[in-house]
Amino acid sequence: DVKVTQSSRYLVKRTGEKVFLECVQDMDHENMFWYRQDPGLGLRLIYFSYDVKMKEKGDIPEGYSVSREKKERFSLILESASTNQTSMYLCASSLWPYNEQFFGPGTRLTVL
Amino acid sequence: DAKTTQPPSMDCAEGRAANLPCNHSTISGNEYVYWYRQIHSQGPQYIIHGLKNNETNEMASLIITEDRKSSTLILPHATLRDTAVYYCIVTVSNFGNEKLTFGTGTRLTIIP
């Protein structure tokens, strides 16, 4: 089975802190994605990556950056965390050319 | 991407077929219909997808109307573990480089 793991299930940070969310997949997938999920808004795509060192903006990239130095790892970075970034963050991966995305369990981030 | 409309919630008796509708009246000819579900406290899980023909796999069946303006996901023998939020998504399939836009979905509750 494909496994997508995220570094933390729960995280509490303070406003202004730099936050790193890590995602690792073990099935050699080319594509990786970061979403955030908020009540009433569904899942929204932040960034995605089709290959190592490649990244593209999703629908809500403001306030975030990403890094993909190795194929299996995709990091989401909050340069200066703000309270409106309190959310559930979900990572996903997919194998080119297939479209099925496999999701991790999510990281619930609270920014105080 | 075309938008989808789903009922916010549905109930289904355990052991019966659960039929989840989705309207996508502005779907384009090259757009696929995807279904995912999200069980509480987990990441979304891919169920099935289709273009114009009906599809079936071990989890569910997908019925797409001839005009492709609506579809129905069928869980043939619902169990309590099928209680989840179900998302209908329409997107262009670009050989694995698709962007999935999740709405708020249908909250399906299986009643014992």
Side-chain angles (χ1 to χ4, degrees):
Chain A
D1 280 351
V2 175
K3 195 165 185 183
V4 180
T5 56
Q6 296 184 229
S7 50
S8 306
R9 288 302 305 269
Y10 301 93
L11 204 55
V12 179
K13 295 292 182 180
R14 297 212 174 270
T15 301
E17 280 193 77
K18 189 169 187 176
V19 181
F20 291 87
L21 302 182
E22 302 284 336
C23 176
V24 178
Q25 49 92 5
D26 66 357
M27 286 300 290
D28 204 33
H29 285 180
E30 288 82 6
N31 304 326
M32 296 189 76
F33 307 82
W34 274 107
Y35 296 85
R36 65 177 282 178
Q37 184 173 28
D38 301 288
L41 296 176
L43 277 79
R44 293 178 292 168
L45 182 64
I46 305 172
Y47 267 98
F48 56 106
S49 170
Y50 296 143
D51 201 351
V52 175
K53 297 193 184 296
M54 294 184 68
K55 60 185 178 184
E56 292 206 24
K57 293 180 180 179
D59 299 318
I60 51 162
E62 296 78 20
Y64 303 94
S65 62
V66 290
S67 172
R68 191 155 180 212
E69 296 296 319
K70 293 185 177 181
K71 191 175 185 180
E72 68 270 19
R73 188 179 299 269
F74 192 35
S75 302
L76 180 69
I77 304 155
L78 288 66
E79 294 289 342
S80 178
S82 63
T83 55
N84 62 12
Q85 292 178 310
T86 291
S87 186
M88 170 69 82
Y89 289 88
L90 289 155
C91 175
S93 71
S94 67
L95 177 66
W96 188 91
Y98 305 104
N99 304 311
E100 177 182 344
Q101 289 189 18
F102 295 87
F103 283 81
T107 296
R108 186 167 295 282
L109 172 67
T110 302
V111 182
L112 301 176
Chain B
D1 289 348
K3 290 187 176 179
T4 61
T5 304
Q6 299 178 253
S9 63
M10 293 181 63
D11 293 339
C12 178
E14 188 178 15
R16 305 297 291 265
N19 296 278
L20 293 93
C22 180
N23 286 322
H24 32 79
S25 58
T26 59
I27 192 170
S28 300
N30 62 346
E31 289 181 315
Y32 287 69
V33 180
Y34 283 79
W35 284 85
Y36 281 74
R37 73 179 183 184
Q38 187 173 21
I39 296 170
H40 183 62
S41 298
Q42 297 182 23
Q45 175 190 24
Y46 166 84
I47 301 173
I48 198 167
H49 76 279
L51 181 62
K52 56 178 76 171
N53 297 322
N54 297 338
E55 302 287 344
T56 296
N57 63 20
E58 65 278 2
M59 288 182 67
S61 295
L62 173 61
I63 308 298
I64 303 174
T65 58
E66 193 168 341
D67 63 7
R68 303 210 321 125
K69 293 184 177 182
S70 65
S71 60
T72 301
L73 178 75
I74 301 172
L75 309 178
H77 305 287
T79 71
L80 298 178
R81 287 177 294 181
D82 292 322
T83 292
V85 177
Y86 287 77
Y87 298 96
C88 171
I89 300 161
V90 169
T91 190
V92 174
S93 178
N94 188 21
F95 295 101
N97 293 340
E98 83 292 357
K99 291 170 58 175
L100 300 179
T101 300
F102 288 76
T104 52
T106 295
R107 183 172 298 278
L108 175 67
T109 302
I110 306 302
I111 310 296

